[in-house]
Amino acid sequence: MKIILTGSLGHISRPLAQKLIAIGHTVTVISHTAARADEITALGATPAIGRIDDLDFLTATFTGADAVYLMITNATGGQGDLFTAGKRQATTYANAVKAAGVQRVVNLSSVGANLGPEVGALHIYNVIEGVLTQELPGVNLTFLRPTGMFYNLFGSLQSIKRDHVIYTNNSLTKRGSWVAPADIVPIATQALTAPQPGVTSQYIASDERSYTEIASILGQALALPDLKAVQIDDATMTRNLIAGGMPAAFTTQYVKMLAYEREHDFYADYRAHHPQLGPTKLTDFAVTFAQAYRQA
């Protein structure tokens, strides 16, 4: 098969490209950075250098493909309205898919995509799923809904070093669901090469842990027995993130997302369609986290 991947050489797209090439498929990787071309070629893939908001570029790149893998990348650069940007990008993707005649699409969505604006930043995935579903009738369309990425915990490296604390406005005791990119790859591969017909969605997860459990597991890996998770209020969380460099517009929606998870049954649909958990556990990620901690 000829398969097109967006996402450049990110956490998922790189190992996904490697997997697809290893089993004999022809892969093109889209990147907006020309410097990535040699690295993409070294993987055995074909680089396509251009912007994902360029309809003509996408149409040309998608033409002749058996399947395309779509994801949203830095929709607004942290500025402007997140949901407007998501709708605009989804529309561009849909128009390129239609113009190129592609019949198989896999979209990297997210847990929370079933919810509305009340879920904050994750609502962008509801917007994107809605546009693609409406605009691509007759296309085999698979929405992958991974849960929270383990690597998001790297955002707490500084506070762990400084205070031996993971700060969050989320609940400390509710168990959240987490996933490793490596556990997304085989499911994305299956969706691209042997999809179910019609419009389908699938949750992907590796482990289920509360912030209290996360602090305990990371504390053991870091030899920091006093490492703890501390709940802070929404306003303090917002100030901390902005002070750390997160753009204000995105921060507002991100904090709203965590507050919704704290106060509501965020995982109801996830539980109703509970996936088989992947093999990578938080204890495995803790080894990687400890390496990053020592190097930071």
Side-chain angles (χ1 to χ4, degrees):
M1 292 175 59
K2 180 181 178 182
I3 300 173
I4 313 298
L5 306 181
T6 58
S8 189
L9 294 177
H11 292 284
I12 299 168
S13 295
R14 179 194 291 271
L16 179 57
Q18 292 170 320
K19 174 67 173 178
L20 290 167
I21 291 165
I23 59 177
H25 299 290
T26 300
V27 176
T28 295
V29 177
I30 292 175
S31 177
H32 73 277
T33 305
R36 289 284 197 182
D38 289 345
E39 198 173 354
I40 292 169
T41 301
L43 291 180
T46 299
I49 306 303
R51 295 177 57 87
I52 61 171
D53 60 357
D54 183 337
L55 176 59
D56 292 338
F57 163 73
L58 286 181
T59 300
T61 304
F62 289 175
T63 297
D66 297 296
V68 298
Y69 166 82
L70 305 177
M71 60 177 291
I72 193 82
T73 56
N74 197 21
T76 67
Q79 306 299 325
D81 183 74
L82 185 66
F83 313 119
T84 300
K87 183 176 182 179
R88 181 169 58 245
Q89 184 58 55
T91 301
T92 300
Y93 276 151
N95 287 338
V97 166
K98 287 187 287 188
V102 177
Q103 292 300 306
R104 187 176 301 184
V105 172
V106 175
N107 172 242
L108 183 68
S109 188
S110 173
V111 64
N114 61 299
L115 299 169
E118 69 276 6
V119 79
L122 291 178
H123 180 55
I124 190 174
Y125 296 104
N126 176 278
V127 171
I128 292 168
E129 287 195 14
V131 170
L132 294 179
T133 300
Q134 178 177 331
E135 296 296 325
L136 298 176
V139 172
N140 287 328
L141 182 57
T142 303
F143 295 114
L144 305 180
R145 292 179 175 178
T147 56
M149 300 289 180
F150 281 140
Y151 60 72
N152 290 341
L153 294 169
F154 285 130
S156 294
L157 271 173
Q158 185 177 0
S159 67
I160 291 173
K161 273 192 169 290
R162 184 185 64 238
D163 303 329
H164 294 188
V165 170
I166 299 171
Y167 294 106
T168 181
N169 63 313
N170 205 332
S171 167
L172 301 185
T173 56
K174 278 187 175 182
R175 277 194 161 184
S177 186
W178 300 82
V179 69
D183 293 347
I184 298 173
V185 169
I187 295 172
T189 299
Q190 176 75 11
L192 286 163
T193 59
Q196 298 180 39
V199 179
T200 58
S201 60
Q202 182 173 1
Y203 288 104
I204 311 173
S206 303
D207 205 352
E208 295 170 350
R209 297 285 184 174
S210 70
Y211 273 95
T212 299
E213 292 173 310
I214 290 168
S216 176
I217 290 169
L218 294 185
Q220 292 176 34
L222 299 173
L224 294 176
D226 62 334
L227 180 61
K228 61 184 178 179
V230 172
Q231 188 183 69
I232 55 179
D233 61 52
D234 295 349
T236 302
M237 185 73 172
T238 300
R239 288 194 300 270
N240 287 355
L241 291 173
I242 292 174
M246 185 178 285
F250 179 78
T251 298
T252 299
Q253 296 298 332
Y254 179 77
V255 171
K256 184 177 180 180
M257 172 191 77
L258 296 177
Y260 184 90
E261 186 173 343
R262 179 190 70 219
E263 300 293 340
H264 300 85
D265 189 3
F266 173 75
Y267 288 104
D269 192 66
Y270 165 83
R271 289 196 311 275
H273 305 90
H274 198 280
Q276 179 178 341
L277 296 182
T280 309
K281 303 305 175 188
L282 182 63
T283 49
D284 301 310
F285 172 75
V287 176
T288 302
F289 192 92
Q291 293 171 344
Y293 180 84
R294 288 191 293 269
Q295 295 168 2

